[in-house]
Amino acid sequence: MKSTQMLKNFPIYRPLVGLNVQKIQSARLITAIKTPFKYDGKIDLKSFDNHAEKQLKFGVEGFVIGGTTGEGHLLSWDEHIMLISHAKHKFGDRCLIIGNTGSNSTKEAINATEQGFAVGMDAALQINPYYGKTSDKGLLKHFNSVLDIGPSIIYNVPSRTAQDIIPENMFKLAEHPNFIGVKECNNKYRIKTYSENNIFTWSGNDDECHELRHNYGCNGVISVTSNIIPGLFRKMMNEESTDISKKTEKLIKLLFYQPNPIGINTLMMMLGLCEPVFRLPYVELDKNIRNEAIKIIEEIGIDHFLSKDRKIKELKDNEFCYIRY
């Protein structure tokens, strides 16, 4: 039997994890949550739990575990699946747990997705193959293979994968029964096209999410910035508030001054939400940018930020630690 026929005959597996697809599709604010590290190089579960609790207090409805912000690409798969399992065990009764189990290898993505559902995640986040890009036909076979495993959100971020998932292909993928929706980072008109065709979307661009939510039919946001100002993002998703949107512009611009997650890591360390430990190749923002961050936080108001003791610390260069494993 040819491999293409085997793919067509592959049985669809719907994991029995109490998944409520409608609950996912109704979620306005999902945080791409940071993975904190200890000085010994291990994942800091205590800091993760404290941070997750604060997020839930301010109305965050779900977490993407091990995404770009969570440095999933720097975690071993053992660490990755452990963190999905831990998050589901600790917080799964109060929020959605979405595991970033995509890969540029279909075999690896299938294996990770099977493990993620086995430990209880509610849905997977699936990215298209990157670096070793494939054709449109290969892309569709890749996504249909991982969609066969269980309910998934497709993630389109051409700036990182160097390949756009065009609407024609997304419409084909949307026919799969395990397709939930799209995390889209391309442009507002792409979001509008999907929304008009009854495809659920989440913005992957924090700087556009307010406009997309209220003017282009976007369902909500999978946010980086909500790691530190979840309350303001919750309000922007719930109601039209151009004042808050403008108020956060400089902060969001600073967070993405360097490739994500450099900015959010640095500010979370300055706010005392985690130890100042970077897993290489990530390092802190330069001192002049950190000083600018302090000014921006003071302008917005420290009370709007998650922090330790309502303070922002001016960390020195020698206070940051780098780990290689």
Side-chain angles (χ1 to χ4, degrees):
M1 183 180 289
K2 293 182 179 180
S3 59
T4 53
Q5 291 176 309
M6 291 177 68
L7 281 172
K8 289 180 181 178
N9 293 329
F10 193 91
I12 293 174
Y13 168 59
R14 293 182 177 84
L16 301 175
V17 292
L19 175 72
N20 186 337
V21 171
Q22 289 182 334
K23 186 176 180 181
I24 295 174
Q25 291 175 332
S26 68
R28 302 290 183 221
L29 178 58
I30 298 169
T31 294
I33 195 167
K34 173 181 165 47
T35 303
F37 299 104
K38 298 189 289 187
Y39 287 100
D40 64 4
K42 296 179 181 179
I43 295 174
D44 188 346
L45 293 177
K46 182 177 180 180
S47 291
F48 179 89
D49 291 351
N50 289 339
H51 185 51
E53 288 286 359
K54 291 183 174 74
Q55 292 279 303
L56 295 176
K57 180 181 177 182
F58 285 91
V60 171
E61 296 158 275
F63 300 128
V64 168
I65 307 295
T68 305
T69 308
E71 299 175 53
H73 47 292
L74 302 186
L75 304 177
S76 70
W77 278 114
D78 284 345
E79 290 176 314
H80 207 132
I81 300 303
M82 177 278 292
L83 193 56
I84 293 172
S85 176
H86 174 81
K88 180 63 180 180
H89 174 73
K90 292 283 292 189
F91 308 106
D93 60 336
R94 290 183 285 161
C95 71
L96 302 162
I97 302 299
I98 301 165
N100 172 38
T101 55
S103 172
N104 57 351
S105 160
T106 305
K107 179 181 178 181
E108 191 172 83
I110 289 173
N111 185 52
T113 302
E114 287 176 336
Q115 290 187 59
F117 281 121
V119 299
M121 70 181 183
D122 296 300
L125 184 71
Q126 299 288 353
I127 198 168
N128 53 308
Y130 44 88
Y131 183 70
K133 297 185 293 182
T134 186
S135 63
D136 282 346
K137 182 178 179 179
L139 185 149
L140 290 172
K141 287 189 177 296
H142 169 85
F143 275 124
N144 277 299
S145 294
V146 292
L147 281 165
D148 282 340
I149 309 303
S152 301
I153 296 170
I154 304 299
Y155 182 21
N156 186 37
V157 54
S159 64
R160 289 187 180 268
T161 64
Q163 183 178 33
D164 185 23
I165 307 172
I166 60 175
E168 288 81 356
N169 285 330
M170 197 67 76
F171 289 134
K172 291 175 184 177
L173 294 172
E175 295 174 2
H176 197 289
N178 282 332
F179 177 94
I180 294 176
V182 185
K183 178 185 177 184
E184 180 61 66
C185 298
N186 197 315
N187 60 61
K188 61 183 70 174
Y189 303 106
R190 184 71 60 82
I191 292 274
K192 187 173 187 288
T193 297
Y194 292 149
S195 299
E196 289 175 346
N197 285 275
N198 300 314
I199 290 178
F200 288 88
T201 58
W202 291 267
S203 172
N205 298 329
D206 284 358
D207 58 338
E208 297 179 325
C209 69
H210 177 264
E211 181 185 17
L212 292 172
R213 167 78 184 96
H214 297 289
N215 298 330
Y216 289 85
C218 190
N219 193 64
V221 64
I222 297 177
S223 174
V224 174
T225 312
S226 61
N227 272 284
I228 53 178
I229 50 170
L232 292 181
F233 264 72
R234 179 77 238 191
K235 191 167 185 179
M236 282 195 290
M237 292 300 99
N238 283 355
E239 59 190 66
E240 196 164 358
S241 178
T242 53
D243 288 345
I244 294 177
S245 181
K246 289 179 180 179
K247 195 174 185 179
T248 60
E249 282 179 355
K250 288 196 290 185
L251 173 66
I252 294 170
K253 185 176 180 179
L254 183 140
L255 286 176
F256 293 92
Y257 174 77
Q258 293 288 356
N260 183 50
I262 293 171
I264 196 66
N265 278 352
T266 304
L267 264 66
M268 285 183 64
M269 293 167 187
M270 294 171 67
L271 289 162
L273 299 174
C274 59
E275 299 291 352
V277 177
F278 282 92
R279 184 171 282 194
L280 291 171
Y282 296 123
V283 296
E284 75 280 2
L285 290 171
D286 291 342
K287 182 175 175 57
N288 63 316
I289 305 299
R290 301 199 303 269
N291 289 338
E292 181 64 23
I294 293 174
K295 294 178 183 178
I296 292 172
I297 290 171
E298 290 174 347
E299 286 176 10
I300 295 174
I302 188 66
D303 288 346
H304 290 298
F305 288 78
L306 302 186
S307 63
K308 183 179 180 180
D309 302 324
R310 295 185 178 180
K311 294 179 180 178
I312 175 78
K313 185 177 181 182
E314 186 180 345
L315 293 172
K316 299 177 181 178
D317 289 346
N318 62 5
E319 292 184 79
F320 293 99
C321 175
Y322 315 105
I323 52 179
R324 296 177 289 179
Y325 52 88

